[in-house]
Amino acid sequence: MSAPIIEVHNLTKHYGDVQALRGVSFEVEEGEVFGLLGPNGAGKTSTVEILEGLRAADGGIVSVCGLDPQTPGPAFKQEIGAVLQSTALPDKLRVAEAVSMFASFYKRRRDPATLLKRFGLEEKRNTFYSHLSGGQKQRLALAMSLVNEPRVLFLDEPTAGLDPQVRREIYTIIEELKKERKTILLTTHYIEEAEKLCDRVAIVDQGRVIAQGTPRELKQRSAGTTRIELRLARPETDAALKQLDGVADCHASDGVYVVHSTRVPQTIVSLVKYLEAHGNELSSLDIAAPSLEDVFLELTGRRLRD
Amino acid sequence: MRNAWTLTKVRMRLALRNRAFIFFSLIFPLIFLFLFLGLFARSNVAAVPYMLASVLAITVMGSFWGLSVQLVTFREQGILRRFRVAPVGPGAMLASSIASNYILTLPAVSIEFVLARRVFHMSQWGNLGGVFFLITLGIITFAALGLIIASVTNSTQETQVINQILWSAFLFLSGATLPLPMLPIWIQRFALFLPATYLVTGLERVLVARVGVAQIGAEIVALAVSAAMALFLSQQLFRWEPEAKVGPRAKALAAATIVPFLLLGLWETAHGNLRSAARTDFLTIRSEPIDRPAPFIAPR
């Protein structure tokens, strides 16, 4: 088996008194889509920016394509592509000019016109960057990240702040790249994104990797619980619902109670009895397999969006 | 080198699409030209090259303003970090800043020359080689100075404040707006510490007295040293990221920018003849005898 294309061992980073990374470790194989999933401030962007050569690590060992991103020479930059979380282009730069300019910086390069066509930007080729919508800017960022046929592609929150329709467009593009066996390191705080796109996921919280594996493996670790989402006619306390048969955990958010049960039939019977006894009733009830959100909740006691 | 040239072409395009650039770099100097030459050289053709020297100097000095603001804006908006993940080094970024500025300033300077000759009937072209040499050195010096300002300031507002202070000093204390010999003696002495003064007096010398490059040695050396120092420092101080702090070394280096100008000013005060040369050029363009024994009579 070949060596991993990305290696991260015991990575640490602090900003003043804040310890952003506390020994992050993971490896990414060539052709794999690897996700860093975690809430805002978990350390995902710090990790990716160290791997891109944009930030210096305080400790640990990192390697991308066998090169050290901490001394990012031209050879390193020829190998990577990146969609950064916070970046922009000059307002008065036209779409085609941007792609052509970035293509000219690399030895190995794709035809800019083909890239624009692939990313649906052909009609916008003469449009100024400032006149593009959020989704178009993100598609342009993706096109630019591929101008050099990178061996490793870093996508830092590529769909953050985009509306659901545009997000799905970006998913389609990433799925196509996945089919081409492109190595991608993706950071996200969207569960759906990680489950849908990633071969393997590392769940990051407070500067640590708290679990990693395929989405299926991670969900199987969720102690065999089933997720029951319910709405009630009148509010109840989490504590009261936690007392029901088979309930491992319960929390409420926006009027929806998410109950994790190890024995679903007993929990439902117990729930119905409880509601009858308290003059309350069910508005809706959904039973679902556990998601990565549940895994995160189980590991940290918090929701990803908390 | 190829990256620097690509960036130069793109940055020229961006500049020409920017109305503020068009106004401040192309129209504003022309307003100065018509104001200076129209008001002060209207009935005195001999004064045209003298006033043209001021206008050319103002055009060249303007380089530092636009460049510093642009680079800080690029950094604040995260544009520079996008280039940073590509194989583009600080050298290419800085070289393209200076090259694009140089290429865009030359037409403005040429138009000013042609207008001075055609509209204001300037009788001679002056020492064109010397003018070209000084303008080239001047653009490099002031553009690199702008890059240093961009590196040591953290926001556009901060950059504007520093620019305003420097611009005022360059404009009003160097002889660019008020002839140096008309300024109080203490300001004339202070002016010897400003690179702008060497550009203004150098241009006056080659345009009015039509002296050769060899005769403006002090001005050439002053600008060449300033350019070399500013280029070196801009490379050393360059920052890609807005949150990258200006470290103590960078601050010390930035403070060191002042050293060559101090040395130059001290040397010029002790041994130079820049002020007397400025006075001679000023006197030659006066159509009327000087009716006021001015405070500018004695050069030192």
Side-chain angles (χ1 to χ4, degrees):
Chain A
M1 193 173 172
S2 61
I5 197 162
I6 299 175
E7 291 177 90
V8 180
H9 296 295
N10 206 22
L11 186 63
T12 58
K13 174 78 186 169
H14 73 275
Y15 303 102
D17 295 335
V18 179
Q19 191 72 38
L21 301 177
R22 304 159 189 258
V24 169
S25 298
F26 61 87
E27 290 178 348
V28 181
E29 301 296 332
E30 188 148 21
E32 187 176 33
V33 179
F34 189 89
L36 292 178
L37 174 69
N40 292 329
K44 306 183 299 290
T45 295
S46 291
T47 305
V48 167
E49 290 192 349
I50 288 169
L51 291 171
E52 289 164 342
L54 291 177
R55 285 182 196 278
D58 293 333
I61 298 167
V62 286
S63 157
V64 176
C65 303
L67 300 165
D68 183 3
Q70 296 295 282
T71 50
F76 170 77
K77 291 177 176 179
Q78 293 286 344
E79 300 297 345
I80 66 161
V83 172
L84 305 176
Q85 191 180 18
S86 54
T87 187
L89 289 172
D91 285 348
K92 294 290 173 77
L93 189 63
R94 295 184 197 279
V95 167
E97 287 170 349
V99 180
S100 298
M101 173 177 64
F102 275 91
S104 75
F105 297 147
Y106 296 94
K107 289 176 191 160
R108 192 175 57 228
R109 64 184 85 135
R110 279 186 171 180
D111 174 36
T114 312
L115 276 173
L116 290 180
K117 192 173 179 183
R118 175 176 179 179
F119 288 94
L121 291 166
E122 222 175 6
E123 287 178 11
K124 296 283 174 187
R125 61 188 321 282
N126 290 319
T127 304
F128 287 140
Y129 180 75
S130 58
H131 294 170
L132 296 178
S133 67
Q136 288 164 343
K137 282 179 180 170
Q138 205 60 347
R139 276 190 275 147
L140 175 60
L142 276 162
M144 281 170 26
S145 72
L146 291 167
V147 286
N148 57 326
E149 292 273 19
R151 282 183 68 198
V152 174
L153 184 60
F154 295 101
L155 305 178
D156 193 2
E157 303 268 8
T159 61
L162 300 178
D163 62 53
Q165 190 190 338
V166 180
R167 208 181 298 163
R168 278 194 292 276
E169 281 176 29
I170 303 292
Y171 290 170
T172 307
I173 292 169
I174 297 172
E175 280 172 333
E176 283 172 19
L177 295 171
K178 189 176 172 178
K179 280 180 197 156
E180 293 170 18
R181 302 286 297 154
K182 186 70 74 189
T183 307
I184 299 174
L185 178 59
L186 169 85
T187 77
T188 184
H189 60 267
Y190 293 122
I191 303 289
E192 179 200 0
E193 198 164 296
E195 289 190 348
K196 190 176 170 74
L197 302 174
C198 298
D199 298 314
R200 285 194 306 132
V201 175
I203 299 179
V204 186
D205 185 47
Q206 296 180 346
R208 288 193 182 90
V209 173
I210 54 175
Q212 60 179 306
T214 65
R216 179 188 287 263
E217 283 168 354
L218 289 171
K219 286 186 282 189
Q220 280 171 352
R221 279 188 213 172
S222 188
T225 61
T226 300
R227 176 190 176 97
I228 305 170
E229 284 188 12
L230 44 107
R231 286 176 188 274
L232 302 174
R234 284 192 292 108
E236 292 286 345
T237 63
D238 296 359
L241 298 179
K242 276 181 187 168
Q243 302 302 317
L244 302 175
D245 285 352
V247 173
D249 183 53
C250 172
H251 66 269
S253 176
D254 300 331
V256 179
Y257 296 86
V258 179
V259 175
H260 290 91
S261 168
T262 52
R263 292 173 293 142
V264 177
Q266 286 87 339
T267 299
I268 291 175
V269 169
S270 169
L271 172 69
V272 172
K273 283 180 183 169
Y274 174 85
L275 293 176
E276 271 180 5
H278 289 81
N280 203 349
E281 56 188 51
L282 272 172
S283 300
S284 69
L285 186 142
D286 288 304
I287 300 174
S291 69
L292 289 178
E293 172 84 51
D294 302 310
V295 178
F296 186 82
L297 182 72
E298 194 181 301
L299 291 168
T300 66
R302 288 176 288 113
R303 287 168 68 85
L304 261 167
R305 308 286 177 78
D306 284 350
Chain B
M1 193 68 184
R2 201 189 54 176
N3 288 354
W5 179 236
T6 303
L7 283 168
T8 301
K9 287 186 286 183
V10 169
R11 296 184 73 173
M12 282 166 57
R13 267 188 229 136
L14 291 175
L16 292 171
R17 288 169 190 163
N18 182 338
R19 283 182 199 159
F21 173 85
I22 300 285
F23 179 77
F24 286 108
S25 299
L26 303 176
I27 298 173
F28 192 62
L30 289 181
I31 293 172
F32 262 99
L33 180 88
F34 280 93
L35 200 69
F36 274 40
L37 274 63
L39 285 179
F40 305 118
R42 198 173 169 189
S43 55
N44 180 9
V45 176
V48 174
Y50 189 85
M51 293 297 165
L52 178 64
S54 293
V55 175
L56 293 178
I58 290 168
T59 309
V60 167
M61 289 188 300
S63 308
F64 87 96
W65 190 294
L67 268 188
S68 55
V69 172
Q70 188 191 47
L71 206 60
V72 172
T73 308
F74 276 13
R75 194 170 59 221
E76 278 186 321
Q77 293 179 345
I79 294 169
L80 286 186
R81 68 199 320 259
R82 183 62 191 84
F83 286 98
R84 194 181 176 196
V85 285
V88 177
M93 195 54 77
L94 295 172
S96 70
S97 300
I98 293 171
S100 58
N101 203 73
Y102 181 71
I103 296 169
L104 290 171
T105 305
L106 283 186
V109 164
S110 306
I111 291 168
E112 286 162 8
F113 247 99
V114 171
L115 287 175
R117 178 90 180 186
R118 299 282 176 225
V119 178
F120 295 98
H121 312 293
M122 187 167 73
S123 57
Q124 41 83 21
W125 288 103
N127 174 0
L128 278 179
V131 171
F132 181 76
F133 201 54
L134 283 167
I135 282 174
T136 301
L137 277 176
I139 292 173
I140 296 171
T141 304
F142 287 93
L145 192 62
L147 299 175
I148 294 174
I149 295 165
S151 298
V152 296
T153 52
N154 290 315
S155 65
T156 313
Q157 290 92 328
E158 201 183 329
T159 311
Q160 298 278 27
V161 170
I162 304 279
N163 280 350
Q164 192 66 56
I165 293 167
L166 285 175
W167 180 243
S168 302
F170 292 160
L171 212 55
F172 299 113
L173 306 181
S174 67
T177 43
L178 283 171
L180 194 65
M182 288 180 73
L183 297 171
I185 290 292
W186 67 271
I187 292 183
Q188 290 186 40
R189 287 193 173 133
F190 177 76
L192 297 178
F193 295 89
L194 296 173
T197 310
Y198 296 89
L199 178 66
V200 174
T201 52
L203 285 168
E204 285 170 3
R205 305 242 63 214
V206 291
L207 280 168
V208 178
R210 281 175 277 174
V211 300
V213 172
Q215 288 162 282
I216 48 166
E219 287 87 346
I220 297 284
V221 170
L223 289 171
V225 169
S226 308
M229 186 82 181
L231 278 175
F232 170 75
L233 288 172
S234 61
Q235 174 99 16
Q236 294 295 309
L237 298 170
F238 185 78
R239 289 188 295 148
W240 295 99
E241 303 280 347
E243 66 268 32
K245 297 282 176 249
V246 182
R249 181 178 171 272
K251 282 178 184 163
L253 278 171
T257 317
I258 207 167
V259 173
F261 302 121
L262 272 178
L263 294 175
L264 205 67
L266 290 172
W267 183 87
E268 187 60 43
T269 305
H271 308 288
N273 65 347
L274 186 133
R275 282 167 54 216
S276 60
R279 191 168 61 97
T280 307
D281 291 334
F282 180 60
L283 291 174
T284 58
I285 60 108
R286 305 263 322 209
S287 55
E288 297 294 326
I290 296 170
D291 52 5
R292 195 158 58 95
F296 51 80
I297 289 295
R300 58 172 79 97

